[in-house]
Amino acid sequence: MQGTIVIKIGSSSLTTVTGQLDAQQLNSHVEAMVFLMKQGYRIVLVTSGAVAAGFSSLGFKRKPKGIAQKQASAAVGQSLLMQAYMDAFKHHDYIAAQLLITRADFADQQRFSNISQTIGELVKRGAIPIINENDSTSIEELTFGDNDRLSALVSGIVHADMLCLFTDVNGVYDQNPFSYPNAKKYHYLSEVPETLLDAMDQTTSDVGTGGMFSKLSAAKTAIELGANVFIGTGEGEEKFADVLVGKGDGTYLGSFAKNTMSMTKQYILYHSSPRGTIFIDDGAANALLKQHRSLLPAGIVDVNGSFNIGEIVDVRRENNEVIGKGKVNFTNEELDLLKGKNSAEVIKATSRSKKAVIHRNFWVAM
Ligand code: GLU
């Protein structure tokens, strides 16, 4: 079995500016995915296009900006989009399956894990999970922001080997190639340089939501989660296969060493809301950050907030610098009593065998 590939296709690669699905483009993406699947790759598709495919049916001349108008357009467009994918995959004897996700689904650890199991089962059975944000129910403040980010988070969930951010630009440039003809293209970046992100134009296209800034930010997240990333374009049945053998027309990003992050750590880092803060001394910070050890009560200097066993807390140095997040094995009241105490004293006071306040497997540095 080959690896797992997450492919993200944007609205502008699927629809026309006047708000119609572009069947020819959609079919050509499907053909290229089928080509990969026939070689044994598992594909998870993150697709935009619901709003862009739906607005014209509701009488809008161009993609609306208001929330209710976008949500209504998505309700129309999502079914058109899905129908088109189902038909196109069926033509090649593949089953397509729809998953509509909101950020609130990711914030709940049970739902987060259910999403992962559903995707896993679909992929195991040879179906293609087709994911989009549930635009019609998402509240603006609680959206993923754009599907670039959603696809990066999905690549973590499925422990993808590669995230392919497929777009109409052939890679990442040091300046906007449309305004600066001498802009230089990056063929490979081991990581996303902050300087490049800072210099990026954050504007978006008329049809899609994410510009290059959002693609690079998504690439950064996907790399942290252990995936490699391709940002670029291509044509024909072999366009995705070309990406995997290094012949893609775009930019490759990442270390290309497989080192994926566990689901628990992904949840802690990206989706959980910390319930409090634990302040620790430099010795404990060193043990966590450099020696990859667990956090013990002896290193705690102060505790803030009200939390239960199993909840997530921020961990800060005494100077307030955040160094990470983790799942606590004690309540805030317990830690108030136990802070600064050594392990023998802790066991005596609580008769609990778990000495670690945060076990290293449930800890993520930031
Ligand atoms: N979920 C939106 C849609 O399907 C697109 C979000 C994006 O373009 O990033 O229209």
Side-chain angles (χ1 to χ4, degrees):
M1 185 57 96
Q2 307 278 13
T4 302
I5 315 297
V6 174
I7 294 176
K8 187 263 167 176
I9 302 180
S11 303
S12 53
S13 308
L14 286 164
T15 53
T16 64
V17 265
T18 51
Q20 314 293 329
L21 260 185
D22 185 334
Q24 206 182 337
Q25 283 206 70
L26 186 140
N27 287 334
S28 103
H29 302 316
V30 168
E31 263 171 31
M33 283 184 262
V34 167
F35 187 87
L36 272 192
M37 284 188 291
K38 290 209 164 126
Q39 294 179 22
Y41 286 98
R42 287 162 291 203
I43 305 284
V44 177
L45 171 63
V46 176
T47 185
S48 303
V51 177
F55 69 80
S56 67
S57 306
L58 290 179
F60 296 109
K61 292 266 180 312
R62 57 173 67 89
K63 193 174 169 183
K65 301 240 187 295
I67 297 176
Q69 291 71 24
K70 275 199 279 191
Q71 292 186 310
S73 301
V76 176
Q78 179 63 32
S79 27
L80 294 172
L81 187 62
M82 201 55 210
Q83 186 67 52
Y85 275 122
M86 304 248 301
D87 290 346
F89 276 112
K90 190 152 181 263
H91 182 72
H92 299 276
D93 290 326
Y94 281 91
I95 297 292
Q98 169 180 265
L99 276 98
L100 296 178
I101 305 180
T102 63
R103 215 177 78 185
D105 295 325
F106 275 30
D108 178 294
Q109 198 167 9
Q110 184 63 49
R111 282 198 261 169
F112 180 59
S113 135
N114 288 349
I115 292 168
S116 138
Q117 287 181 31
T118 306
I119 298 176
E121 190 63 30
L122 287 167
V123 168
K124 199 168 93 192
R125 298 194 166 268
I128 302 95
I130 300 187
I131 303 175
N132 194 1
E133 180 154 14
N134 194 347
D135 297 310
S136 299
T137 67
S138 296
I139 304 161
E140 186 89 333
E141 295 76 38
L142 283 179
T143 59
F144 291 102
D146 56 69
N147 275 357
D148 294 325
R149 176 159 176 77
L150 174 60
S151 66
L153 297 173
V154 167
S155 70
I157 292 184
V158 302
H159 304 289
D161 298 86
M162 170 137 340
L163 166 65
C164 176
L165 292 168
F166 199 76
T167 177
D168 39 17
V169 186
N170 74 340
V172 182
Y173 286 78
D174 61 348
Q175 303 178 84
N176 184 339
F178 298 110
S179 328
Y180 301 90
N182 292 331
K184 205 169 90 267
K185 178 170 152 181
Y186 295 100
H187 292 277
Y188 171 70
L189 289 163
S190 60
E191 54 181 29
V192 178
E194 285 299 326
T195 44
L196 195 57
L197 269 179
D198 290 345
M200 282 284 153
D201 184 358
Q202 297 192 23
T203 54
T204 60
S205 78
D206 241 14
V207 180
T209 304
M212 198 46 83
F213 175 80
S214 101
K215 289 196 175 38
L216 274 178
S217 313
K220 190 163 179 269
T221 301
I223 292 168
E224 281 164 12
L225 288 166
N228 301 303
V229 182
F230 171 81
I231 301 176
T233 191
E235 270 176 25
E237 194 187 33
E238 296 185 27
K239 64 187 172 196
F240 298 134
D242 283 347
V243 168
L244 299 184
V245 294
K247 289 196 300 187
D249 186 8
T251 303
Y252 288 84
L253 304 99
S255 68
F256 286 78
K258 183 111 179 151
N259 184 20
T260 61
M261 193 186 279
S262 78
M263 287 290 286
T264 306
K265 290 199 177 199
Q266 289 183 40
Y267 173 76
I268 294 173
L269 186 57
Y270 291 104
H271 310 297
S272 67
S273 318
R275 300 285 171 211
T277 306
I278 295 179
F279 293 89
I280 63 172
D281 62 25
D282 284 344
N286 221 16
L288 277 170
L289 297 174
K290 303 240 166 77
Q291 296 157 16
H292 307 293
R293 301 233 297 265
S294 300
L295 174 64
L296 301 176
I300 297 181
V301 290
D302 207 357
V303 180
N304 217 325
S306 162
F307 47 84
N308 259 316
I309 296 171
E311 291 192 319
I312 308 299
V313 293
D314 277 330
V315 176
R316 292 175 186 254
R317 290 184 195 268
E318 285 173 85
N319 67 4
N320 214 24
E321 179 199 346
V322 184
I323 60 165
K325 286 203 267 186
K327 198 175 215 172
V328 270
N329 289 321
F330 295 89
T331 67
N332 60 302
E333 286 101 351
E334 287 174 321
L335 288 182
D336 258 333
L337 297 172
L338 298 175
K339 63 188 178 204
K341 292 206 176 3
N342 68 34
S343 296
E345 291 172 304
V346 172
I347 294 174
K348 211 166 136 206
T350 62
S351 63
R352 293 234 301 271
S353 57
K354 261 196 185 136
K355 296 179 307 245
V357 175
I358 296 175
H359 187 273
R360 63 193 170 125
N361 291 350
F362 297 91
W363 153 263
V364 196
M366 286 163 80

